Amino acid sequence: MSDLRFRVVEKAFQKKAVFVEAPDKRPSEYFGSMTFNREKMFKYLPDEAYKDLIDVIDKGASLTLATADAVAAGMKKWALEMGATHYTHWFHPLTEGTAEKHDAFIEHDGKGGVIEVLSGKLLVQQEPDASSFPSGGIRNTFEARGYTAWDPSSPAFIVGDTLCIPTVFISYTGESLDYKAPLLRALDAVNKAAVDVCHYFDPKVKKVYAYLGWEQEYFLVDEGLYAARPDLLLTGRTLMGHESSKNQQLEDHYFGAIPTRVAEFMKELEIECLKLGIPLKTRHNEVAPNQFEVAPVFEECNLANDHNLITMAMMRKVSRKHGFRVLLHEKPFKGINGSGKHNNWSLGTDTGVVLMSPGKTPEENLRFLTFVINTLKAVYQHNGLLKGSISSATNAHRLGANEAPPAIISSFLGKQVSEVLEKLEKSDSGVIKIEGKQGFKLDIPRIPELLIDNTDRNRTSPFAFTGNRFEFRAVGSSANCATAMLVLNAAVAKQLSEFKKEVDAKIADGTEKFDAIIEILRKYAAECKAIHFDGNNYCDEWKEEALKRGLDCETSVPLIFDTYLSKSSVDLFESMGIMTEKELEARNEVKWETYTKKIQIEARVLGDLALNHIIPVATRYQSTLIDNVSKVKVLFDTEKAKQISATNLSLIEDIALHITNIKTLVDKMIDNRKIANKITEEREKAIAYHDTVASTFDEIRYHIDKLELIVDNEMWTLPKYRELLFIR
C-alpha cells in the first residue's frame, strides 16, 4: 500500500485502549453534579426566589426581574464554586447544531480592578450577532440584531470552565431563528389540548407532558484513518469505497461484545453525561461494524432534546481522547446499515397516567384509544409534513435502504390494537377490552414466565406503536430532534382540539359523553385507516399500495420540503400559535439552501478526489502494466508475448474505460453544478442540485470502486473499507 496509507493503517491497528478511572462514587451520587438542578436551586436561592422559579418552571408563571436577579446571583455563586470563569447563552440556530458565545463573569469594580458579575438582566437576555446565522431572509445580513432568552425549564450546566444557559433565539422583529422556541410552543399547545381531553376522564389533570426517549446510533472510526479520507473529513461520509469482503452479513456485530477501546470511550461518555444530568442507560453494538448506540431514560421532550444535543457534542469531544472520530452522518458507508435516531414519544399526565398505555377498565381503555386514534389521525392528516420534518440531504441516503423505514409515513399498531380498532369501527358496543402484558410460559426447566407485550415490534415501520408509546423511527442520527418533535406535537395538539370540538358538539346535542367519544373515535378510525400498515414497509407492493391510499410518496428532498408551505401545514402552525407563514417560508429557504450547500460540497470533494487522487493513481498503475507488456514483447516471440500479456492488456483496457468514464462524468457533474449555481431562487436551485448534480454521484462512484479492485493495493492512497470498519 502507499507509504502514507501504510503508516496510517499500521498506527490505527496499534492503538490501545485509554482506560478511564471511574469516580469513587455511584452514578446516583454524582448524577447532575454539573447542572443547576432543583437541588442546587434550593441550596443557592432564597426561599422566595426558589418558590417563584419553581412556579415559572412548573406552572408557566411570569418571571420578575427581582427573581431573575436572585437566580442569577445564586447560579453565579454555584458556577464560581465549580470553577467556571465564563458563561454563555446556549441555543439551537437553524444550522441544526448548537451555538454559544462565551463571556467572562468580570466587570469593572470602579476601583481599577474587576468583580465577578451575572445580573438577572444578563441571565434572562443576551444579544448575540444574528447576521451570520441562517434566517431564510427574515434578517438582512447587514442587520445583525437577534436575542437569546433564557429557558428556565432546562437546567443550566457547566462544560469545562463555562456555565451554559439554555435559551431560545429570536430576531429583532420577534420571529424565531431556532428550533427550541417553536418546540416549546408546540409542547405548550399539546399540553393545553391534551388536558382538555383528559378532563373527559379525570378532571384532576392539570398538565400533560410530552415525553421523548431518543436512541442515538453512531459510527466510530480511528482518527488517523478519518484524517486520511478527505471525503469523511469534509462531508461526514465516504463518497467512494468498495465494500469489504466481510461487513455485516454474518450478523455477528449486533449486541456483540463491545471492543475494549470502544467500551472505555463509552464509559467516559456515560460519566460525563451523567454529571450533566443526562440519564444514559443503554449502550450496545449496532448492526454494522463500528456502529454503536447509546440511549437514555425517557425525559420531558424539551429537556430530552437539549440532552441529545449535549450528548452529541460530548461524543465528539470524548471520542478524540480515545483516538476516535464519531460519525453522526446517516450513511457514512455504502453497503452497510446507516444510523438513525429513533424518537420514542408519548404523553403523560401530572397524575402519573401514561396516556398511551391500556388500562384495566373500559373507561381507561377508552382514554387510551382516544389518544392513540387521535395520534393516528394527526399522523394521517400530516404524513407529508412529518416526512418533511425528518428529510435532509444526509437522511435521504438511509431512508428506504432496507435498514430504515422508507420515505412514506405509515403506522404499525400490532395485532391486538389493530383488532380493537377494527371492532370499534364495525361494532356498536361501548365495551372496550384491551389486554395488557400476558404471561407466557416456556416449556424449558428453570426459565421463568415471560411477560409478553400487547404488540410486537415492526422495524420497517416509520411510526410504530410499541406498547405504551409511538416510535418515530425515521429521524436521522445527525438531526435535531426538535424538527420532528415540534411537528408531531403540533399535529397532535391540533387534532385533539378538533376532537374536543366535535365531542362537545355531540354532547350539546344530547349525546351521553362516552357515547359521543366512541362515535367520534369510530369515525376517525375509518377516516385514518390509510395510515395503518402492519406489513413489510420495504416491499415494492407497499409503495404501490401507499400511493393508492393517498399517502405522500415523494422522494425528492427539495420537493418534500414543499409540505411545510401547504395550506394545511400553514393552518396547523398558525392556529396552534407555533409559527407564522413568514417563519415557515424562512425555514424552508434555509432548508433548501442547506440541501444545496451539502450536495455542492460533496460534488466538489468527489470531483477533487476523482481527478487528483483516483485518476493519477490508476494511470500510474496502468503505466506499470503497459511497461510490463512492452518488456514482455521484447523477451518473447509475438504469440508467446500475446498469451503472457493477455491479462495485463485486459486490465489496461478496463482501467482506460473507467478513467474515461470518471473524467466524462465528473465534467458533466461540474457543468451541471455551474448551471445550477446560476439559479437565484433557492427552491429551484435545490431541485437542480438534486436532479442533475447528486444524480451523478453513484455513477462516478461505480467506476472508482471498480478501479479500487484493479489497482495495486500498494498504490491506493485512501484507506479502504476493510481498514475503516474494524476497530483493533
Side-chain angles (χ1 to χ4, degrees), residues 371-387:
F371 283 92
V372 167
I373 292 174
N374 274 285
T375 298
L376 286 177
K377 184 83 185 301
V379 172
Y380 170 61
Q381 290 184 314
H382 300 284
N383 70 94
L385 178 61
L386 279 165
K387 182 167 69 176

Side-chain angles (χ1 to χ4, degrees), residues 9 175 240 286 298 310 476 525 563 604 688 717:
V9 173
E175 294 88 1
M240 58 195 68
E286 256 299 335
F298 276 49
I310 298 168
T563 57
R604 288 173 173 169
T717 58

Side-chain angles (χ1 to χ4, degrees), residues 515-686:
D515 289 342
I517 291 172
I518 291 172
E519 188 176 335
I520 300 302
L521 291 180
R522 182 179 293 120
K523 178 169 75 85
Y524 284 177
E527 289 174 352
C528 67
K529 209 169 185 177
I531 203 69
H532 176 203
F533 180 65
D534 282 2
N536 180 7
N537 286 252
Y538 293 159
C539 67
D540 291 333
E541 291 80 7
W542 165 237
K543 296 174 186 175
E544 296 173 10
E545 172 64 20
L547 194 61
K548 291 177 184 176
R549 294 188 184 188
L551 302 182
D552 191 316
C553 298
E554 181 59 63
T555 57
S556 168
V557 172
L559 293 178
I560 290 172
F561 291 153
D562 286 344
T563 57
Y564 274 91
L565 298 177
S566 68
K567 187 176 183 299
S568 62
S569 296
V570 173
D571 175 66
L572 165 66
F573 289 115
E574 290 196 331
S575 64
M576 292 291 103
I578 295 167
M579 283 187 284
T580 64
E581 186 170 8
K582 181 181 179 181
E583 288 173 300
L584 290 169
E585 289 171 348
R587 282 163 191 271
N588 259 27
E589 286 291 303
V590 172
K591 288 178 181 291
W592 284 315
E593 184 179 9
T594 300
Y595 179 88
T596 296
K597 287 178 177 178
K598 287 189 175 182
I599 301 300
Q600 186 181 69
I601 291 169
E602 289 190 350
R604 288 173 173 169
V605 173
L606 180 57
D608 173 54
L609 288 176
L611 299 180
N612 296 311
H613 285 247
I614 306 304
I615 289 179
V617 170
T619 303
R620 190 157 59 247
Y621 181 58
Q622 186 185 50
S623 297
T624 301
L625 295 176
I626 292 171
D627 184 55
N628 176 267
V629 169
S630 299
K631 289 175 180 177
V632 166
K633 287 181 178 179
V634 172
L635 290 173
F636 300 97
D637 61 65
T638 304
E639 192 59 35
K640 190 70 174 175
K642 186 176 180 182
Q643 291 176 3
I644 295 172
S645 302
T647 299
N648 282 352
L649 285 168
S650 176
L651 289 174
I652 291 167
E653 188 176 345
D654 287 347
I655 291 170
L657 176 65
H658 291 307
I659 287 175
T660 300
N661 283 325
I662 290 169
K663 181 66 168 66
T664 301
L665 289 166
V666 168
D667 288 345
K668 175 186 174 184
M669 177 186 71
I670 292 171
D671 289 340
N672 289 345
R673 198 171 75 227
K674 288 178 179 177
I675 293 169
N677 286 340
K678 294 178 181 177
I679 301 173
T680 56
E681 206 270 320
E682 292 296 346
R683 178 180 181 274
E684 298 306 316
K685 184 186 287 189

Side-chain angles (χ1 to χ4, degrees), residues 358-360 365-366 368-369 416-417 420 432-436 454:
K360 296 180 180 179
N365 283 331
L366 180 59
F368 161 74
L369 284 180
Q416 187 180 157
V417 177
V420 168
I432 302 169
K433 185 178 181 181
I434 302 171
E435 300 291 349
N454 57 25

Side-chain angles (χ1 to χ4, degrees), residues 332-374:
F333 302 103
K334 186 178 180 180
I336 61 174
N337 279 20
S339 297
K341 178 155 49 195
H342 304 166
N343 277 206
N344 294 277
W345 171 87
S346 67
L347 297 173
T349 70
D350 58 344
T351 59
V353 173
V354 178
L355 296 173
M356 299 296 174
S357 284
K360 296 180 180 179
T361 67
E363 183 175 326
E364 289 174 345
N365 283 331
L366 180 59
R367 180 189 61 209
F368 161 74
L369 284 180
T370 295
F371 283 92
V372 167
I373 292 174
N374 274 285

Side-chain angles (χ1 to χ4, degrees), residues 254-284:
Y254 191 51
F255 281 19
I258 300 171
T260 304
R261 282 180 65 198
V262 177
E264 290 303 308
F265 154 73
M266 289 178 167
K267 180 179 176 181
E268 183 169 1
L269 175 66
E270 286 180 359
I271 291 170
E272 294 304 315
C273 285
L274 288 169
K275 289 178 183 176
L276 291 167
I278 304 170
L280 294 190
K281 184 177 180 67
T282 302
R283 64 187 186 196
H284 63 82

